Amino acid sequence: MNVICMGSSGFVGKEVLKQLIKNEKINKITCIVRKPLTGIEDNEKTNFIIQNDFSNYSEELLKELVKSHHACIWTIGGRRSQFPTQEEYEKVSIDYTITFATGIVNALKSTTTTTNPFTFIYCSGMGANEKANESIINRIEIETRIVKGKVERSLTEIQKSNTNLFNLLIFRPGGITENQNKFIQWLLSSFTVDLSHLSKVIIDKLINTNEISQDTTSTTIIFNKDIYNYN
């Protein structure tokens, strides 16, 4: 299986890339980045494409990507607090994601010769909801959840309009932790998930989707509890 890995320099994306490299069922990985990554072990699977502008891709690149890849794992975004302004956060989280997904679908329409849809995995977040309100319970990371909810809606609209071409999986992890002991993971399992485990589940679900005939008439959402309980 050949996979596009977007966000491979980030917290989640870097771990996803690490596990993709080690997975025997993954044959090729293409990372689209602004600059070469460091700290990635030498391997024959991984190819890096330097792209300065994530809001504008050439038709030739997109057509080549869909011809030679089965899926994309998208981990670009993060939390609102990680960005200097709301405008920048929305540009990276919404515009970049929808621009790429739309470009992929347009490329598929002009080049596809297979009956298998392209799988797009979007790493969202717990409580994603573009209509979230500012009640006391909902106030935590509300800007993040609203933006991720907008992305989910836009991707779902793309999927519904292209059910034979575009298969959509949305992951909604809670707080993503690293190297916590098993007891703490269990204690906080309603709200958090381990980074390594999350990455494993993303890749396993992707491979299973590719190997098994899927119903692509609706969007699949994997919640934090489903991620935690996945074996």
Side-chain angles (χ1 to χ4, degrees):
M1 187 177 192
N2 300 342
V3 181
I4 304 165
C5 184
M6 299 295 290
S8 53
S9 64
F11 179 60
V12 177
K14 190 176 293 184
E15 178 64 22
V16 169
L17 175 57
K18 176 183 173 182
Q19 294 195 28
L20 285 171
I21 292 171
K22 294 180 178 179
N23 194 300
E24 295 181 354
K25 293 188 176 181
I26 303 300
N27 301 314
K28 177 181 179 180
I29 309 157
T30 296
C31 301
I32 301 178
V33 295
R34 285 197 173 91
K35 58 184 179 181
L37 296 186
T38 58
I40 303 300
E41 64 180 86
D42 291 336
N43 67 95
E44 297 180 353
K45 291 184 180 182
T46 310
N47 173 50
F48 294 97
I49 296 176
I50 304 299
Q51 175 80 17
N52 294 321
D53 185 0
F54 277 37
S55 61
N56 184 26
Y57 299 88
S58 70
E59 290 184 14
E60 291 76 17
L61 172 60
L62 293 169
K63 287 179 180 179
E64 181 57 36
L65 288 174
V66 299
K67 284 181 180 178
S68 56
H69 296 78
H70 305 96
C72 172
I73 299 175
W74 188 279
T75 62
I76 295 175
R79 302 186 304 277
R80 166 63 183 90
S81 57
Q82 296 171 311
F83 292 80
T85 65
Q86 180 73 15
E87 181 181 11
E88 181 68 15
Y89 181 53
E90 292 187 2
K91 177 182 178 182
V92 172
S93 298
I94 302 175
D95 297 350
Y96 286 1
T97 312
I98 304 309
T99 293
F100 188 79
T102 301
I104 286 292
V105 167
N106 290 337
L108 286 165
K109 288 178 178 178
S110 64
T111 63
T112 188
T113 57
T114 179
T115 58
N116 294 325
F118 185 94
T119 297
F120 192 96
I121 289 183
Y122 172 60
C123 189
S124 183
M126 178 182 282
N129 181 0
E130 65 176 318
K131 296 182 180 180
N133 58 58
E134 294 190 4
S135 66
I136 294 176
I137 295 176
N138 287 330
R139 192 172 298 166
I140 299 173
E141 292 287 355
I142 185 169
E143 293 171 320
T144 301
R145 294 189 292 110
I146 289 173
V147 165
K148 289 188 181 296
K150 289 179 178 179
V151 177
E152 287 190 9
R153 174 180 54 79
S154 295
L155 288 173
T156 299
E157 289 174 353
I158 292 172
Q159 189 275 328
K160 287 181 178 179
S161 300
N162 301 277
T163 56
N164 61 323
L165 295 175
F166 192 80
N167 184 33
L168 177 62
L169 278 70
I170 294 174
F171 280 77
R172 287 187 182 173
I176 302 172
T177 62
E178 191 174 16
N179 299 324
Q180 282 189 339
N181 67 57
K182 296 295 183 181
F183 176 73
I184 297 298
Q185 288 180 31
W186 171 80
L187 192 64
L188 302 177
S189 60
S190 296
F191 309 102
T192 67
V193 66
D194 177 71
L195 172 63
S196 178
H197 182 66
L198 169 63
S199 301
K200 177 187 183 300
V201 178
I202 287 175
I203 295 170
D204 282 0
K205 290 285 188 181
L206 173 58
I207 292 171
N208 291 340
T209 298
N210 186 62
E211 292 179 344
I212 302 172
S213 177
Q214 297 288 314
D215 174 11
T216 61
T217 59
S218 62
T219 298
T220 300
I221 299 178
I222 299 96
F223 296 94
N224 190 80
K225 62 182 176 63
D226 303 315
I227 300 169
Y228 176 80
N229 291 324
Y230 182 88
N231 293 317

